[in-house]
Amino acid sequence: MDINQLTLLTDLYELTMMQGYFKSKNDETVIFDVFYRENPSGGGYAITCGLEQMIDYIKNLSFSYEDIDYLRGLHIFDEDFLEYLAGYHFTGDIYAIPEGTVVFPMEPLVKVCAPMMEAQLIETALLNIINHQSLIATKASRVVYAAGGSGVMEFGLRRAQGPDAGTYGARAAVIGGCDGTSNVLAGKLFDIPVLGTHAHSWIMSFDDEYTAFRTYADLYPDACTLLVDTYDTLRSGVPNAIRVFQELKDAGRTPAKYGIRLDSGDLAYLSKQARKMLDDAGFEDAVISASGDLDEHLIASLIHQGAPITSWGVGTKLITSADCPAFGGVYKLAASRHKGENTFTAKIKISENPAKITNPGDKIIFRLYDSETGKIRGDLICLSDESYDPSEDLTIFDPLATWKKSTLQGGTYKMRELLVPVFLKGKCVYESPSVMEIRSYCQQELNTLWDESRRRLNPQEVYVDLSLPLYQLKHHLLDQKHETKKGENK
């Protein structure tokens, strides 16, 4: 995906609405929030990801002559609007939660404050970028957690939904905790480790399995992992691998990293038998890696069964997030301000479904940590002009269950503001860390979760509550809407 050619990566209705705003001389500055409503895969959290690509998109956002000619050919846009587009550039502010941060439903991952037309145009691309990478980073973190400290390699490129999903998905997977990827382009673009062994075709291209193994070992003596299930894992593959390892040992050339890979069959049984065979032959340090339609649930099951597997290659079900193929992030209007006004007017979307009622206004987010353990106690969404003293008691309110509120005793909690400035007046003021730096930060973030919130099934919910001023504003607007609706029904 050429980041310089993404201006038309938008839904048509963004442009038709822009023309409507242009014709009506809309002068509003607006605030849009990017958030999601439900954690992927039934989990207790998500990992926000994709900010660096979002920044590149905004920096390169301009309409080329070819773009304008194409839009003119649709015969739905007037020349004065096309002339405006020809000079378009983003002039607004964007705030975001840094990549690799643990996040929860309903809190803004990105906040856009810009003229209405500018904010409207970028909706689709922002959601496309943030939704995809956040989904894969979250899935990867679940897989890595299930592996319990043993290494996880991402190699789903051939099963990804296209080159971009495979490449940016690999980036997100490494941020989520994978040790590396098989995707060489991702390795080059993002300076992340590339990993891999060989395929069954390598074995089948030789007259016999032993010769294939020996040739591979001679080529790559420092990292020799042999795929042992081409013909018969226990009668042929493992014995031939042991024969090659013994020859290397006798020649004083034992690789620093060596072992076998299992790609099919009963991985629990085969790995136990292979481990015994390797140990009996004196190769206790040989690694057993596994691949083949793995996900966090199968990995957890294999570990529970005592499978002595210490390295995992995870492809299809990670790169596609097979059990939850969409993140579900949305882009909703939260406030507006006409030219010449000093304050924003809060906006709210109401719904018969309480979970789809938005949180109005210009907002910030504080993360609340337990002072003793450093673990997350919850998140607090506030209005932007609010400030707090952690030495004082803090009462917070459930956004949906209106009867629920909690009070945190002063001195028992710490606070951190999550949204940071990324663009101010159209200028980027944020420098993205490297992918491996984001990966390290993500691991620190995940360690702030209680184990109960990280478990795969029925995790404990981390609460995202509202401050008293935001709670009161939301319910004031809801009361207003309900009164208006009553009047319309009379």
Side-chain angles (χ1 to χ4, degrees), residues 74-114:
L74 297 178
H75 305 296
I76 55 177
F77 299 111
D78 294 341
E79 284 300 319
D80 56 350
F81 176 62
L82 293 174
E83 184 177 342
Y84 161 77
L85 291 183
Y88 175 95
H89 63 283
F90 185 79
T91 65
D93 302 336
I94 296 179
Y95 300 82
I97 299 177
E99 290 189 89
T101 303
V102 170
V103 291
F104 309 104
M106 302 305 294
E107 58 191 18
L109 310 183
V110 179
K111 180 173 75 172
V112 176
C113 179

Side-chain angles (χ1 to χ4, degrees), residues 137-278:
T138 304
K139 185 67 171 179
S141 73
R142 288 171 56 82
V143 171
V144 170
Y145 186 66
S150 50
V152 176
M153 302 175 288
E154 183 283 313
F155 57 87
L157 177 59
R158 63 189 62 192
R159 303 286 176 78
Q161 282 96 345
D164 296 333
T167 300
Y168 289 103
R171 176 186 188 273
V174 170
I175 287 174
C178 289
D179 293 335
T181 177
S182 67
N183 186 331
V184 179
L185 179 58
K188 175 189 174 185
L189 291 175
F190 310 124
D191 193 23
I192 56 180
V194 288
L195 305 165
T197 55
H198 59 79
H200 294 105
S201 58
W202 171 265
I203 309 298
M204 297 163 66
S205 69
F206 289 83
D207 292 336
D208 61 86
E209 189 175 52
Y210 161 74
T211 303
F213 285 173
R214 182 59 201 250
T215 304
Y216 189 83
D218 288 340
L219 284 168
Y220 306 105
D222 295 327
C224 180
T225 301
L226 303 175
L227 181 59
V228 295
D229 68 339
T230 304
Y231 302 121
D232 187 311
T233 301
L234 300 180
R235 296 180 182 179
S236 174
V238 176
N240 278 321
I242 289 173
R243 179 183 174 187
V244 170
F245 297 154
Q246 187 63 53
E247 290 174 355
L248 292 173
K249 183 178 181 179
D250 292 343
R253 297 172 49 213
T254 300
K257 297 180 180 180
Y258 73 103
I260 63 171
R261 176 162 71 96
L262 303 169
D263 189 56
S264 61
D266 186 331
L267 296 179
Y269 171 76
L270 293 174
S271 63
K272 292 175 184 177
Q273 295 301 311
R275 180 77 273 161
K276 184 177 186 305
M277 294 166 71
L278 289 164

